[in-house]
Amino acid sequence: MSGLIALDWGTSSLRAFRFDGEGRLEETRARPWGIRHLPEGGYDAALAEITGGWPVLPRLACGMVGSRNGWREMPYLDTPANAAQLGGALGSLRAADGLDVHLVPGLRDPFGPDVMRGEETQLIGAMALRPSLAEAATFILPGTHSKWAEVRDGAVAGFRTLMTGELFAVLRQHSILGATGAEAVNDAEAFARGVASARDSGAAGALSRLFSTRALMLDGALAPASVPDYLSGLLIGEEFRAALAGGLGGRDTPLQPIGDAALCERYRRAAVLFDIELPPPIADAAAHGLWRLATQAGLVHDAFQESRAC
Amino acid sequence: MSGLIALDWGTSSLRAFRFDGEGRLEETRARPWGIRHLPEGGYDAALAEITGGWPVLPRLACGMVGSRNGWREMPYLDTPANAAQLGGALGSLRAADGLDVHLVPGLRDPFGPDVMRGEETQLIGAMALRPSLAEAATFILPGTHSKWAEVRDGAVAGFRTLMTGELFAVLRQHSILGATGAEAVNDAEAFARGVASARDSGAAGALSRLFSTRALMLDGALAPASVPDYLSGLLIGEEFRAALAGGLGGRDTPLQPIGDAALCERYRRAAVLFDIELPPPIADAAAHGLWRLATQAGLVHDAFQESRAC
């Protein structure tokens, strides 16, 4: 029996993928057991449950499971780093079932400094799924901590984190901007207004327009229920403005989103206002990245790769 | 008996000033009774207590007491607006003691849009205390919602709010940047590093460097206990970077802080890294602004002004 159990284990969720010996994804399972929300019994119990009934196979995990607050801390590899380097730097731990769990290291961009855990695996997977992008592309991975990553010659060359998602959450839940007294509604027009305001903020940036969210509401020019979508547009627009102003996502290389379809759709709508057409996002990038790194590390025998090499 | 009871009534605190008939500040009292923290009995009880034992005098209040969530909502006056216009636009309410409380309107900058309540009175007071600045100056009023205000020919010409203080508070209390596991220490060097990082972020802005706070800590390049001062420097530095990039605080006009000495000292240290030397802050600006507006409105007889006018 050959194959791989691949684990994408983040802060708020755990996903497990079972691959057959030829890299075909046979089954996917998901649990709300991020490293901050483990079930009773902790990591071992979560692992046993989510892989219940699956054959004994090599296991490889990426994400915050390898962080300081995770199961075992893995070091960061400095950029630039490619699949061979990441695959050659796996660590491992012995689980309670007596078998190993291998862990992918995180990546560190010394020019930030900046760090990522989990996204490096998604980037490897995205390059495996779209080999044409491995030469030169900028990937956007929206989320709590959005990443803009530059890829060159199959390696992650550098990246920058923008705390868009977390900023939105804390401002909405804990700042005066969230105190609207109204139930939020979807308002695509308010979202677009927010994006445009960030785009037009120039070098000052949208931080200097944050308070305008409230001023517009007091003015009666923004419905209280539309404040969250306006704020979301302002912050995602600021992510584009700042990334482009910082030299990320130059127009000579493709810009490719990776991740959740609904969130990437927001990014696609924001990009339009910057005259950028974003393609549909790449899905299941983490799973395919884990497969790719497992083959690099020799954890599994990659029949397809071998046949290509002949 | 002539004179004025002036009230600076904000979100988190209430200060009362008693002026004699010639505009001399005779007594100051402070209570932690901002409009969100009123004592039992509400506004009337707070007013009765803080003015207890004082003679019956005209009463004038500025600040959030005149907001939608305050005692009585006052409209905003559009910029540009001077002391005569603000003094001519006071409103009033009848307190439980049967006497009036007059209220200063807020200011609205239609080019933000942006709004202020209370700072307009501080600006009027600062111009009264430093007439040489009334011609042309930029005032910085640091705080939860910092204001940068342009003054021209005795009028508030325009302003911009930067949510520096609130952003610092929510990021420290509710984001991953606050999760340092360490008790904060004062670290002037970390503060300066944060300011410099914001200054050097160029057109991308410091929002794109927010996460570097955590990366530096994980790197061992920033002590967990110094993260708050680094973050404070990054956000105050971003306030300067954004304000200057947005055309506020041009080097041809004086830049003058107003407000709390400790906070203004942080701003002075940040300004040094932008090659700007900030003078000591103007204190008691609200009290003197209330006096000035009261004389403009005819609430008190300003012997000094009259003698000047002769």
Side-chain angles (χ1 to χ4, degrees), chain A residues 244-259:
Chain A
L244 297 171
L248 290 165
R251 307 213 167 197
D252 49 335
T253 56
L255 201 56
Q256 173 65 53
I258 300 175

Side-chain angles (χ1 to χ4, degrees), chain B residues 124-219:
Chain B
I124 297 300
M127 287 190 274
L129 290 165
R130 304 275 175 87
S132 66
L133 294 172
E135 184 77 16
T138 302
F139 288 95
I140 310 178
L141 300 94
T144 304
H145 298 158
S146 288
K147 312 281 181 186
W148 286 57
E150 302 279 0
V151 152
R152 296 280 177 275
D153 302 324
V156 181
F159 59 90
R160 181 55 59 99
T161 302
L162 293 120
M163 294 179 63
T164 307
E166 183 161 13
L167 209 52
F168 177 73
V170 297
L171 286 172
R172 194 176 162 194
Q173 290 164 34
H174 302 290
S175 87
I176 195 170
L177 303 183
T180 64
E183 199 68 30
V185 298
N186 285 328
D187 185 339
E189 196 267 333
F191 176 81
R193 277 171 75 195
V195 173
S197 179
R199 179 195 63 198
D200 300 341
S201 65
L207 217 49
S208 69
R209 297 201 172 185
L210 216 44
F211 193 69
S212 72
T213 308
R214 182 155 181 88
L216 285 168
M217 191 186 91
L218 293 172
D219 250 10

Side-chain angles (χ1 to χ4, degrees), chain A:
Chain A
M1 184 93 201
S2 71
L4 177 74
I5 292 174
L7 301 157
D8 179 11
W9 208 329
T11 300
S12 54
S13 69
L14 165 63
R15 288 192 306 157
F17 310 93
R18 183 165 63 83
F19 285 95
D20 73 8
E22 270 138 41
R24 278 186 298 257
L25 186 48
E26 296 209 306
E27 192 179 349
T28 299
R29 294 174 180 175
R31 300 285 182 274
W33 294 334
I35 66 163
R36 287 202 196 149
H37 311 277
L38 291 169
E40 200 173 330
Y43 291 101
D44 281 298
L47 180 65
E49 198 285 337
I50 201 168
T51 61
W54 286 358
V56 170
L57 288 171
R59 300 181 292 200
L60 178 60
C62 71
M64 292 301 281
V65 68
S67 71
R68 190 166 298 179
N69 305 316
W71 201 350
R72 190 201 134 181
E73 185 174 5
M74 290 291 298
Y76 292 102
L77 227 60
D78 273 5
T79 55
N82 61 21
Q85 288 161 317
L86 278 162
L90 302 187
S92 68
L93 60 83
R94 181 62 51 94
D97 59 16
L99 300 170
D100 285 343
V101 175
H102 300 276
L103 294 164
V104 180
L107 275 189
R108 172 179 175 272
D109 182 337
F111 294 101
D114 211 324
V115 290
M116 59 168 56
R117 280 201 190 276
E119 293 92 347
E120 73 296 323
T121 304
Q122 294 184 56
L123 290 164
I124 297 299
M127 287 190 274
L129 290 165
R130 304 275 174 86
S132 66
L133 294 174
E135 184 76 16
T138 302
F139 288 95
I140 310 178
L141 301 95
T144 304
H145 298 159
S146 289
K147 311 283 182 187
W148 285 57
E150 301 278 2
V151 152
R152 296 279 177 277
D153 303 323
V156 181
F159 59 91
R160 181 55 58 100
T161 302
L162 293 121
M163 294 179 63
T164 308
E166 183 162 14
L167 210 52
F168 176 73
V170 298
L171 287 172
R172 194 175 162 195
Q173 289 165 35
H174 302 291
S175 86
I176 195 169
L177 302 183
T180 64
E183 200 67 31
V185 298
N186 285 329
D187 185 340
E189 195 267 334
F191 176 81
R193 277 171 75 195
V195 173
S197 178
R199 179 196 63 199
D200 299 341
S201 65
L207 217 50
S208 68
R209 297 201 172 185
L210 215 46
F211 193 69
S212 72
T213 308
R214 182 157 181 87
L216 284 167
M217 190 186 91
L218 292 172
D219 250 11
L222 179 65
S226 300
V227 163
D229 260 354
Y230 180 86
L231 182 60
S232 167
L234 193 67
L235 293 173
I236 292 177
E238 172 63 9
E239 179 173 333
F240 276 89
R241 189 205 65 76
L244 297 171
L248 290 165
R251 307 213 167 197
D252 49 335
T253 56
L255 201 56
Q256 173 65 53
I258 300 175
D260 171 71
L263 186 54
C264 286
E265 170 58 16
R266 283 191 169 256
Y267 276 64
R268 191 196 61 73
R269 280 157 50 202
V272 167
L273 295 169
F274 287 83
D275 289 324
I276 295 169
E277 197 175 324
L278 283 188
I282 296 175
D284 288 332
H288 290 281
L290 285 161
W291 172 262
R292 177 99 172 85
L293 293 175
T295 63
Q296 284 287 346
L299 291 181
V300 293
H301 176 80
D302 183 350
F304 175 67
Q305 273 224 329
E306 192 165 75
S307 71
R308 272 200 309 190
C310 294

Side-chain angles (χ1 to χ4, degrees), chain B:
Chain B
M1 185 91 201
S2 69
L4 177 74
I5 292 174
L7 302 158
D8 180 11
W9 208 328
T11 301
S12 55
S13 69
L14 165 62
R15 288 191 307 156
F17 311 93
R18 183 164 61 83
F19 285 95
D20 72 8
E22 272 138 39
R24 278 187 297 258
L25 185 49
E26 296 209 306
E27 192 179 348
T28 299
R29 294 175 179 174
R31 300 286 184 274
W33 295 334
I35 66 164
R36 287 202 196 149
H37 312 278
L38 292 169
E40 199 172 332
Y43 291 101
D44 281 297
L47 179 64
E49 199 284 336
I50 201 168
T51 61
W54 285 359
V56 171
L57 289 171
R59 300 182 292 200
L60 177 61
C62 71
M64 292 301 282
V65 68
S67 71
R68 190 167 297 180
N69 305 315
W71 201 350
R72 191 201 134 183
E73 186 173 5
M74 291 291 299
Y76 292 103
L77 228 61
D78 273 4
T79 55
N82 60 21
Q85 288 161 317
L86 278 163
L90 303 187
S92 68
L93 60 83
R94 181 62 52 93
D97 59 15
L99 302 169
D100 285 344
V101 175
H102 301 276
L103 294 165
V104 180
L107 276 190
R108 172 179 175 273
D109 182 336
F111 293 102
D114 210 324
V115 291
M116 59 168 56
R117 280 202 190 274
E119 293 92 349
E120 73 296 324
T121 304
Q122 295 184 55
L123 290 164
I124 297 300
M127 287 190 274
L129 290 165
R130 304 275 175 87
S132 66
L133 294 172
E135 184 77 16
T138 302
F139 288 95
I140 310 178
L141 300 94
T144 304
H145 298 158
S146 288
K147 312 281 181 186
W148 286 57
E150 302 279 0
V151 152
R152 296 280 177 275
D153 302 324
V156 181
F159 59 90
R160 181 55 59 99
T161 302
L162 293 120
M163 294 179 63
T164 307
E166 183 161 13
L167 209 52
F168 177 73
V170 297
L171 286 172
R172 194 176 162 194
Q173 290 164 34
H174 302 290
S175 87
I176 195 170
L177 303 183
T180 64
E183 199 68 30
V185 298
N186 285 328
D187 185 339
E189 196 267 333
F191 176 81
R193 277 171 75 195
V195 173
S197 179
R199 179 195 63 198
D200 300 341
S201 65
L207 217 49
S208 69
R209 297 201 172 185
L210 216 44
F211 193 69
S212 72
T213 308
R214 182 155 181 88
L216 285 168
M217 191 186 91
L218 293 172
D219 250 10
L222 179 65
S226 300
V227 163
D229 261 354
Y230 180 86
L231 183 60
S232 168
L234 193 67
L235 293 174
I236 292 176
E238 172 63 9
E239 179 172 333
F240 275 89
R241 190 205 64 77
L244 296 171
L248 290 165
R251 309 216 165 194
D252 48 336
T253 56
L255 201 55
Q256 173 65 53
I258 301 175
D260 172 71
L263 186 54
C264 285
E265 170 58 17
R266 285 192 169 255
Y267 276 64
R268 191 196 61 74
R269 280 156 50 203
V272 167
L273 295 169
F274 287 83
D275 288 324
I276 295 169
E277 198 176 324
L278 283 188
I282 296 175
D284 288 333
H288 290 281
L290 286 161
W291 172 262
R292 178 100 171 84
L293 293 175
T295 63
Q296 284 287 346
L299 291 181
V300 293
H301 177 79
D302 183 350
F304 175 66
Q305 271 225 327
E306 191 165 76
S307 72
R308 272 199 308 190
C310 294

